[in-house]
Amino acid sequence: MRRLAFIALTLACASPAFAQDHAHDAPPAADAADPVGTDQPAGSASAPSMAHNRAADRYYDPVAMARAEAAMMREGGGPYGAAVLDLAEYRLNRGRDSYEWEGEGWVGDLNRFVLRSRGEGEVGQKLDHGEVEAAYSRALTPWWNVQAGVRQDFGQGPARTHAMVALEGLAPYRFDVLAQAYLSDRGEVSARLEVSADQRITRKLVLQPRGEVLLAAQDLPGQRLGAGLSSAEAGLRLRYEFTRKFAPYVGVNWEWLPGRSGDLARLRGDSANSRGLVLGLHGWF
């Protein structure tokens, strides 16, 4: 009887302590009045700084890259210059092989002096047609330039002098565009539109589709061109860049003389269509 009384007294003393320990282990009850998540009021902390998308910062000192970028974007920060040889090619065309060149050089910054030349002829014959242009170029946006200048023709045709205005730039989807309008010293109006795009297949292999059309407001018999759409040309060239400055290429080229231009070609005994394999060199310095 005395033993039972002792056990009962021990349990009565231990129960409050056990309940108190479990009360400490239980999580605190949430206060329903405190807002959580997006219910909380807006803070007053400043916004994080905008991330810069200058890729060169990954490989070079960002401070040096920022200083170089600021110098390049400042008008009068140059001058800079480059010489680009777009085409220097030999065309294989069923016994009437020919050649063609096209390139330009420029110096300046937002205001540039541009010197451009192009020409073509049959192998073993005198130069058929050549041009040299000198122009002032002004940047309208980071992607587009407006140009004005003069063009001088030489070769077997008449040595015309032309006033020229042009729009040059990089269109969406990375198409290089050159649109030119001419007024000759004889009052002849003509225009040229060139479009090309570089499609990089690998780091060194580049496929370039290219197109060009010539338009004339009147017949140009000295240049063997008719009014309207005078000629159209399309090509596909695959180049291998040993370096970005030296890239031989191979491709195909197709030329069409529609309408009056085709009639003039047939009167001379020539074909209004020609196509052939081209071998050439692309580079810049």
Side-chain angles (χ1 to χ4, degrees), residues 79-84 103-116 135 137 145 147 168 285:
Y80 306 97
V84 181
E104 70 174 36
W106 58 266
V107 62
D109 42 41
L110 299 182
N111 301 289
R112 295 180 178 180
F113 172 73
V114 179
L115 191 63
R116 184 181 292 121
S137 177
N145 301 316
Q147 301 176 350
E168 179 189 42
F285 312 96

Side-chain angles (χ1 to χ4, degrees), residues 1-7:
M1 187 64 183
R2 182 177 299 174
R3 181 178 296 176
L4 291 175
F6 174 75
I7 293 174

Side-chain angles (χ1 to χ4, degrees), residues 127-130 152-160 221-224:
L127 176 67
D128 185 26
H129 179 73
Q152 180 63 50
D153 295 345
F154 54 94
Q156 297 189 48
R160 294 276 193 271
Q223 301 179 39
R224 290 168 288 182

